[in-house]
Amino acid sequence: MMFPNILRKDQEESDFQKIQRFRKALEEAEAVIIGAGAGLSTSAGFSYTGERFQRYFSDFAQKYGFHDMYSGGFYPYETLEEYWAYWSRYIYLNRYMDPPKPVYENLLELVKEKDYFILTTNVDHCFQKAGFEKERLFYTQGDYGLFQCSEPCCQETWDNEEVISEMVRQQKQMRIPTELVPRCPHCGKPLTMNLRSDDTFVQDKGWYQASERYSRYIREHQGKKILFLELGVGYNTPVIIKYPFWQMTAQNPKAVYVCINYGDAAAPREIAERSICIDGDILEVLKTKVKK
């Protein structure tokens, strides 16, 4: 395996010094490639447990016995009416409501004058809601705002905001009206969310266009002063963002790798001298950086 030795902490450098180096690297960068994981939205206040879960899902917790939103998504509901009562509320909260903290807005303030591109495994659409340009975004794992056929019989997706809002408005006793259960217009089978969980994930035309834009961006900026800015990325799917960022930094002597992640900011020893790893809350780090 490449990069067997991971450097997790640098005791000789304070967070203030790291933020100063981050600031300098950002100012000098000819391109900024942002890799965003779940930790970024968590920092923005999109918590799936605790008080936020209890506020919106206490009825589901009492009836079905789960205690976080993630577990609720995997519960074996007996009917589609129950299934969509849960998921419509979940999607409405985590896709159509704005996060309570301005993490994404702070990030946009940092990079809006730079030549940037964003690769993310998040499916909550927070980048576009904050004002990031759609053409500079690649959502690799799907979008809560899209339906796809559960079969799938086709490589199409459909916007779901209108029907999700109706499900939330009309649900009673944790069930939606049967007529609101979404079905594929081609084969009649139930629709599901466009989320990558197995080999039924639909990569539609928009997905391939975004993938090509990202690939083209990488090709056109090879060898330039690139800042790889990794935010809240864990080890669930490291082959999408983390490992490629390490490899591209290693291959480009002008590149700098920045990792901001609460509890697990790390870099390989091979690129340690061109890495800035900040173990902390992304909101607080970006607030410090934005203030200059």
Side-chain angles (χ1 to χ4, degrees):
M1 178 183 172
M2 193 177 184
F3 303 128
N5 299 311
I6 306 300
L7 182 66
R8 295 198 174 273
K9 292 183 179 179
D10 184 350
Q11 302 291 349
E12 298 179 359
E13 194 174 26
S14 69
D15 282 348
F16 176 77
Q17 290 171 312
K18 292 176 183 178
I19 290 172
Q20 291 299 105
R21 283 211 293 138
F22 172 26
R23 179 174 298 161
K24 185 173 185 291
L26 181 62
E27 289 171 352
E28 295 178 351
E30 297 174 280
V32 179
I33 301 178
I34 298 169
L40 183 60
S41 287
T42 299
S43 180
F46 270 0
S47 171
Y48 289 71
T49 60
E51 190 276 333
R52 187 168 181 260
F53 172 76
Q54 286 299 324
R55 190 191 323 160
Y56 295 110
F57 290 100
S58 59
D59 52 348
F60 279 89
Q62 184 175 356
K63 180 175 181 178
Y64 299 103
F66 52 79
H67 301 289
D68 62 85
M69 294 186 207
Y70 186 77
S71 299
F74 288 94
Y75 189 88
Y77 300 99
E78 292 185 5
T79 68
L80 287 172
E81 287 82 359
E82 294 170 274
Y83 174 90
W84 280 112
Y86 178 80
W87 271 105
S88 61
R89 200 183 301 181
Y90 180 105
I91 292 169
Y92 188 81
L93 288 170
N94 297 306
R95 171 62 169 76
Y96 295 112
M97 288 180 66
D98 292 332
K101 300 176 185 178
V103 175
Y104 286 87
E105 289 80 4
N106 287 353
L107 180 59
L108 179 59
E109 188 66 26
L110 279 188
V111 303
K112 66 182 181 181
E113 303 299 329
K114 306 295 291 189
D115 180 1
Y116 70 85
F117 201 98
I118 295 164
L119 176 70
T120 183
T121 53
N122 294 345
V123 293
D124 51 27
H125 215 64
C126 285
F127 281 105
Q128 280 178 256
K129 286 190 289 186
F132 286 86
E133 296 177 37
K134 181 180 179 181
E135 300 303 303
R136 295 177 179 268
L137 283 163
F138 179 23
Y139 292 92
T140 65
Q141 305 296 79
D143 182 346
Y144 283 144
L146 297 176
F147 284 149
Q148 66 164 69
C149 178
S150 57
E151 181 70 17
C153 72
C154 58
Q155 294 298 300
E156 292 182 53
T157 58
W158 296 273
D159 291 336
N160 66 24
E161 183 173 9
E162 185 176 339
V163 68
I164 288 295
S165 297
E166 279 299 302
M167 289 180 189
V168 170
R169 189 176 67 83
Q170 295 192 41
Q171 64 180 253
K172 294 178 181 178
Q173 298 180 327
M174 291 163 282
R175 298 174 65 92
I176 66 163
T178 300
E179 60 269 22
L180 287 182
V181 171
R183 295 189 177 276
C184 177
H186 300 303
C187 72
K189 293 198 172 177
L191 294 177
T192 188
M193 284 69 63
N194 181 228
L195 306 176
R196 189 188 301 278
S197 57
D198 53 35
D199 60 4
T200 63
F201 176 66
V202 167
Q203 296 177 177
D204 63 8
K205 182 179 178 181
W207 189 97
Y208 283 106
Q209 289 173 339
S211 176
E212 174 53 32
R213 286 195 298 269
Y214 176 64
S215 297
R216 185 169 61 247
Y217 186 93
I218 294 294
R219 291 193 303 270
E220 291 175 349
H221 293 81
Q222 279 185 332
K224 293 186 177 181
K225 289 183 179 180
I226 299 176
L227 173 61
F228 290 97
L229 178 55
E230 182 188 297
L231 301 170
V233 176
Y235 285 89
N236 285 337
T237 52
V239 296
I240 296 174
I241 295 172
K242 188 177 291 288
Y243 293 168
F245 275 24
W246 289 354
Q247 291 170 339
M248 288 187 285
T249 301
Q251 293 162 2
N252 180 357
K254 296 181 182 178
V256 175
Y257 170 73
V258 176
C259 175
I260 308 173
N261 198 11
Y262 187 73
D264 195 5
R269 295 186 184 277
E270 290 88 338
I271 61 171
E273 303 229 340
R274 290 184 287 114
S275 296
I276 304 165
C277 298
I278 303 173
D279 181 350
D281 181 70
I282 299 169
L283 174 65
E284 295 305 314
V285 174
L286 294 186
K287 277 169 61 178
T288 302
K289 179 71 186 64
V290 169
K291 289 176 182 176
K292 295 188 178 181

